[in-house]
Amino acid sequence: MVLILLLAACREERKVDVAASLNPAVMATMTTKNISTLISDSGVIQYKIVAPLWQVFDEVDTPYWNFPQGLYLQKYDPYFHVIATVASDSAKYFKNERLWRLEGHVEMTKVPKDLFLSERVFWDQRKGQIYSDTFIHIENATHVLEGTGFVSNENLTQYRILNPEGIFPVNKDSI
């Protein structure tokens, strides 16, 4: 028994400093799975965000939130009615710029039945503007528009396609 105690006492204890090997400039400061959160402004709920993975990179040169497995967002009116939705395959939110970049299959809806489809959409919260430099497809009750490049206010009520494309039917009586 004394021999075992002596051997245990003579054994060199090695400590590893794990924190020294971590680099905050390249790793998330927070990782959350299966989130569903509400975002408010002045005590009024504005948005709901749902995502399978949320990574926060606060210690990098340009701090951002990353949603690599997709994002679903609902926008509410003051009475908590859903007035718009956004879904994308991936998303990044650049905190200092207040700029969202949505990529993959991006689908935005606005009540009553407006649908916006694109491959990449930016939402500049500072300017109150939504825009895209890729193909855009817009449907509503009266028309379908398509083209490349898109600019809109953030309510999706005043928008234009920069390079419209497609077939536009014309009534012969209106010529």
Side-chain angles (χ1 to χ4, degrees):
M1 175 97 153
V2 173
L3 184 60
I4 294 173
L5 288 174
L6 284 174
L7 287 174
C10 294
R11 187 174 59 138
E12 184 180 328
E13 200 171 304
R14 263 181 36 176
K15 293 183 180 178
V16 178
D17 187 3
V18 176
S21 65
L22 301 178
N23 183 354
V26 295
M27 61 184 302
T29 53
M30 181 189 81
T31 299
T32 307
K33 294 183 178 181
N34 300 319
I35 67 138
S36 178
T37 187
L38 299 173
I39 299 174
S40 63
D41 184 13
S42 303
V44 178
I45 294 174
Q46 301 284 320
Y47 305 99
K48 178 180 181 180
I49 294 178
V50 178
L53 180 63
W54 178 18
Q55 300 169 310
V56 176
F57 292 85
D58 277 336
E59 301 297 322
V60 297
D61 291 338
T62 304
Y64 67 95
W65 299 349
N66 189 31
F67 301 88
Q69 297 175 2
L71 172 76
Y72 177 74
L73 180 139
Q74 291 179 327
K75 181 168 175 39
Y76 299 106
D77 69 8
Y79 303 103
F80 207 60
H81 299 116
V82 175
I83 57 172
T85 64
V86 176
S88 67
D89 291 340
S90 69
K92 280 189 179 177
Y93 174 66
F94 300 93
K95 285 176 54 175
N96 296 344
E97 295 83 5
R98 294 186 57 212
L99 176 70
W100 285 90
R101 183 177 70 204
L102 309 163
E103 293 188 301
H105 177 79
V106 181
E107 181 177 303
M108 301 179 293
T109 63
K110 182 181 73 79
V111 268
K113 292 187 179 189
D114 292 357
L115 173 66
F116 298 78
L117 301 172
S118 187
E119 298 167 8
R120 182 174 47 245
V121 172
F122 296 90
W123 174 19
D124 188 329
Q125 290 180 302
R126 283 188 180 158
K127 294 180 181 177
Q129 189 177 64
I130 297 173
Y131 59 92
S132 177
D133 58 356
T134 60
F135 179 78
I136 185 86
H137 173 92
I138 302 171
E139 289 181 30
N140 67 25
T142 61
H143 59 271
V144 173
L145 300 172
E146 291 183 339
T148 304
F150 163 78
V151 178
S152 175
N153 64 352
E154 65 185 3
N155 295 326
L156 296 171
T157 56
Q158 298 175 350
Y159 53 84
R160 72 175 202 254
I161 294 179
L162 303 178
N163 297 300
E165 303 169 359
I167 299 170
F168 301 96
V170 176
N171 185 345
K172 291 180 186 178
D173 297 334
S174 64
I175 299 179

